[in-house]
Amino acid sequence: MTAVTDRTDHGDERDERDASDDGGEGRWDDGLIARRVAEAAALSDDPGPAAPETPEAYDELPGGDTYGGVLRGRLDALRELVGLSRTRIEGGTLAEAGRVLDEAAARQRLSARHTVVAIAGATGSGKSTLFNALAGVQISDTGLRRPTTSAPIACSWTDGAAGLLDRIGIPGRLRRRPALGRERDEALDGLVLVDLPDHDSAMTAHRDQVDRVLKLVDAVIWVVDPEKYADVVLHERYLRPLAGHAEITFVVLNQVDRLPGDAADQVLDDLRRLLDEDGMAVGEHGEPGATVLSLSALTGDGVGELREMLGQFVQDRGAPARRLSADVSAAAARLRPVYVADGRRPELDERARDHFTERLAQAVGATAVAEAAEREWARNAGKACGTPWLRLWRWYEARREPGAGTDPAGQQTPADEEVTARQRVEQAVRKVADEAAAGLPAPWAQAVREAAVRGAAGLPEELDVLAARAGLPRDRPPRPAWWPLAVLAQASMTLLQVFGGLWLVGQIVGVLEPGLLPPVLVMLAGIIGGPLVEWACSVAARGPARRYGQEAGRRLREAAAGCGRARVLDPVSAELMRYREVREQYVAVTGLSTTGS
């Protein structure tokens, strides 16, 4: 009986062959003739080839499942991770994660009763022969002409796979059904087998088809032969990158009928060694991993064992979830460099905050303001408690040298001070940003630095305003309780000097009785007592003057710290918190514990 063939790009040559085999009356197609043949085969002892179903037979049935448990949590975490990272990480880096989320949503909407398994292999490996052997009917072309398979061909054992095949992009004319005998192979119910073009085809379009479909199927059967099982392209381009998908991978050594004696076992052992070097775990002794076996699709040796394994695999209904879990793990592995730091906890500790505040205080001149306030207090104390003659002399000196209050030569001008202060502020911001970004992945370190730079814009000007407001008080410094007594004592000393002097003058002019000693002693008491009172007041004023200066410096420090915190530290802390959030989501995506991150 003539084999049912598909209409591929090489269909013209096959059509001519089919027409000649059929007596020149026409070629097989998916129309009335094929359906009649199928009906006749169902009534005869020889089931014959199964007719391809009409597209209506592939209509999607209910059965879309939801991902539960750990997988659902990982998907939710990945979705949250992508959402939190879009403004921090370039789209190309997140493209694979976005694709996994899209594919997860698309696969969830489709049938959970079906498992899509692709058969992939190199030119001449015999994958199409194996595809036909599993289907029990000649569906995919085999022969010496290469490439034989030019487009993916699907074979579905049960109805309801139309949505899955639409997602893969297999048209209705390339969808087939297996040979149906009297006893239905219920073990393979739900299997959708896809024969792919050669992955090493000379035609780029064929390789692109392979790469595209491999991202959409639930499992893969890699067919290798004794000559190309160690092919570098196969291992480096496909098996090694898909090492994390071992649980949904079958590696079949085909054409063992060509190997003499125990050569097949030796090649199979070497194949397992290569898979181990690729990082792909081999499922042995009940452990999860790739299934590795040998067979001959041409003679049928070992095909039954593969069919049995496929039946168990399909009936488990867990392949889509395992495939998606492996995709999530692969996406997480690619994203690891942009989410995992070098082990340092991402935070801005108190030491870094204190150093930043201290640098801002230096930039705004808090120490100088404190010293100036202290000197101002002491100067006011000297004015109030000093002798009148000394105060008069100081006033005279100030009037005699009008330039005494200006900056001496060599001292920085206000313009130079402003430039220096700006440089100190920029240096402080740069230093705290570097400390906060130390050890972070590059995108998040850059985000921290950018947040610090944005906050530093206008910071020097605002600090200048704060320095003017919180620096030296415009009113007179407060006075201690003993200050009036000191002023009274100084006035008394002055009165003693005046009284002694008048007393002495009166004796000289003869108004008073002569007696040099008493007026001299009174004058000496006033002359010596005045400086003593001033010295005592200066000693007593050191403590209040120091506290007053410290308070002025503290106010300026706090004002500068508040401004720096609002403009720089808080934005930097917000970026670090955002990074901690995405890192927690990344840990949830990987399925690891927090300590393992």
Side-chain angles (χ1 to χ4, degrees):
M1 183 173 291
T2 307
V4 178
T5 59
D6 60 58
R7 290 171 150 180
T8 62
D9 297 336
H10 303 283
D12 295 340
E13 182 178 345
R14 293 194 300 273
D15 292 345
E16 295 176 2
R17 182 176 65 248
D18 292 339
S20 61
D21 292 344
D22 194 37
E25 294 182 4
R27 58 180 176 82
W28 294 104
D29 55 21
D30 293 341
L32 179 61
I33 298 177
R35 290 197 296 273
R36 288 177 178 175
V37 172
E39 292 172 357
L43 298 175
S44 64
D45 293 335
D46 182 10
E53 283 192 332
T54 59
E56 288 78 7
Y58 285 90
D59 288 343
E60 184 64 48
L61 299 180
D65 197 6
T66 57
Y67 306 116
V70 176
L71 181 55
R72 174 184 293 182
R74 295 180 69 190
L75 288 172
D76 292 341
L78 183 60
R79 189 174 296 105
E80 185 71 16
L81 181 69
V82 173
L84 290 172
S85 306
R86 291 192 185 278
T87 58
R88 302 297 185 275
I89 299 176
E90 59 181 7
T93 305
L94 299 173
E96 179 62 18
R99 186 196 68 81
V100 171
L101 291 173
D102 293 340
E103 296 301 335
R107 185 64 179 90
Q108 183 178 354
R109 291 191 296 267
L110 300 175
S111 174
R113 298 184 298 105
H114 291 80
T115 302
V116 183
V117 181
I119 298 183
T123 303
S125 62
K127 58 181 179 57
S128 295
T129 303
L130 178 60
F131 179 84
N132 294 332
L134 291 173
V137 64
Q138 181 80 10
I139 296 178
S140 186
D141 288 341
T142 61
L144 298 177
R145 182 180 178 183
R146 306 294 177 207
T148 303
T149 305
S150 60
I153 303 174
C155 180
S156 177
W157 267 251
T158 53
D159 297 338
L164 291 171
L165 296 177
D166 290 341
R167 173 172 172 256
I168 297 175
I170 299 179
R173 62 186 179 85
L174 297 180
R175 303 179 187 183
R176 301 290 185 268
R177 296 299 295 271
L180 300 178
R182 291 178 178 177
E183 295 183 1
R184 180 182 176 185
D185 194 354
E186 296 182 356
L188 296 181
D189 281 356
L191 174 63
V192 180
L193 203 60
V194 179
D195 185 21
L196 297 180
D198 302 332
H199 70 75
D200 61 347
S201 172
M203 301 182 66
T204 304
H206 292 182
R207 299 196 302 269
D208 294 341
Q209 286 270 33
V210 174
D211 295 342
R212 180 184 62 82
V213 175
L214 285 179
K215 296 179 181 180
L216 303 176
V217 297
D218 301 323
V220 184
I221 299 176
W222 288 100
V223 182
V224 298
D225 60 73
E227 296 178 356
K228 296 184 179 180
Y229 73 92
D231 182 52
V232 175
V233 175
L234 170 65
H235 288 271
E236 291 189 355
R237 184 175 180 180
Y238 294 104
L239 295 180
R240 192 167 298 168
L242 294 175
H245 296 68
E247 293 188 42
I248 58 163
T249 302
F250 294 79
V251 182
V252 175
L253 176 63
N254 191 20
Q255 303 176 9
V256 293
D257 56 299
R258 298 168 49 194
L259 298 174
D262 60 350
D265 294 334
Q266 296 178 7
V267 174
L268 201 63
D269 290 341
D270 194 43
L271 177 59
R272 290 191 178 96
R273 177 187 63 81
L274 293 174
L275 293 176
D276 184 67
E277 292 179 357
D278 292 335
M280 180 173 289
V282 177
E284 296 178 319
H285 311 295
E287 297 178 356
T291 301
V292 183
L293 71 159
S294 60
L295 54 80
S296 173
L298 185 63
T299 65
D301 185 22
V303 175
E305 181 183 0
L306 176 60
R307 184 188 298 270
E308 182 179 354
M309 290 181 177
L310 277 177
Q312 296 175 356
F313 184 79
V314 171
Q315 296 309 314
D316 181 60
R317 303 286 194 255
R322 288 198 293 271
R323 168 62 197 255
L324 184 57
S325 180
D327 286 345
V328 172
S329 297
R334 293 188 185 95
L335 292 175
R336 180 179 177 83
V338 299
Y339 288 114
V340 178
D342 60 357
R344 187 187 71 89
R345 182 174 178 81
E347 62 180 0
L348 197 60
D349 55 19
E350 290 300 323
R351 180 189 60 82
R353 292 175 177 270
D354 292 343
H355 286 178
F356 177 68
T357 302
E358 182 62 28
R359 294 187 187 100
L360 286 188
Q362 294 176 359
V364 81
T367 302
V369 168
E371 294 175 352
E374 182 178 352
R375 290 193 300 269
E376 181 69 14
W377 175 281
R379 187 161 50 250
N380 289 336
K383 291 179 180 179
C385 302
T387 62
W389 323 117
L390 182 60
R391 293 166 61 185
L392 185 60
W393 172 256
R394 289 172 178 168
W395 175 82
Y396 172 73
E397 287 290 330
R399 292 294 300 273
R400 190 172 63 89
E401 300 178 3
T406 59
D407 294 335
Q411 187 176 355
Q412 285 186 324
T413 64
D416 295 335
E417 293 178 356
E418 182 178 354
V419 173
T420 302
R422 180 179 294 274
Q423 292 174 347
R424 288 176 178 175
V425 171
E426 293 175 352
Q427 183 179 6
V429 172
R430 185 166 52 252
K431 185 69 174 178
V432 75
D434 290 341
E435 291 179 356
L440 292 181
W444 301 98
Q446 181 65 23
V448 167
R449 293 189 177 94
E450 289 177 356
V453 171
R454 287 194 302 269
L459 181 59
E461 292 77 10
E462 187 167 345
L463 290 177
D464 291 340
V465 175
L466 290 176
R469 293 178 179 176
L472 288 174
R474 298 183 182 279
D475 54 347
R476 298 177 61 184
R479 297 176 178 179
W482 51 264
W483 204 314
L485 297 177
V487 175
L488 180 61
Q490 190 63 262
S492 301
M493 295 301 103
T494 303
L495 289 176
L496 286 178
Q497 295 178 43
V498 173
F499 179 74
L502 293 176
W503 191 354
L504 186 59
V505 171
Q507 290 181 355
I508 293 174
V509 298
V511 176
L512 299 176
E513 296 181 1
L516 185 61
L517 184 59
V520 171
L521 292 177
V522 172
M523 287 183 63
L524 287 176
I527 294 172
I528 297 174
L532 286 177
V533 170
E534 183 177 3
W535 175 81
C537 289
S538 64
V539 173
R542 289 176 183 173
R546 186 179 302 108
R547 288 191 295 271
Y548 179 75
Q550 291 174 350
E551 178 65 17
R554 183 191 63 80
R555 288 197 306 269
L556 187 53
R557 286 174 183 272
E558 290 181 352
C563 182
R565 181 171 55 253
R567 282 185 165 270
V568 178
L569 296 184
D570 288 349
V572 168
S573 298
E575 286 297 330
L576 293 177
M577 182 177 297
R578 189 184 186 95
Y579 170 70
R580 286 194 293 269
E581 291 177 359
V582 298
R583 194 180 68 167
E584 291 174 0
Q585 295 297 332
Y586 177 79
V587 172
V589 170
T590 60
L592 303 175
S593 62
T594 305
T595 55
S597 65

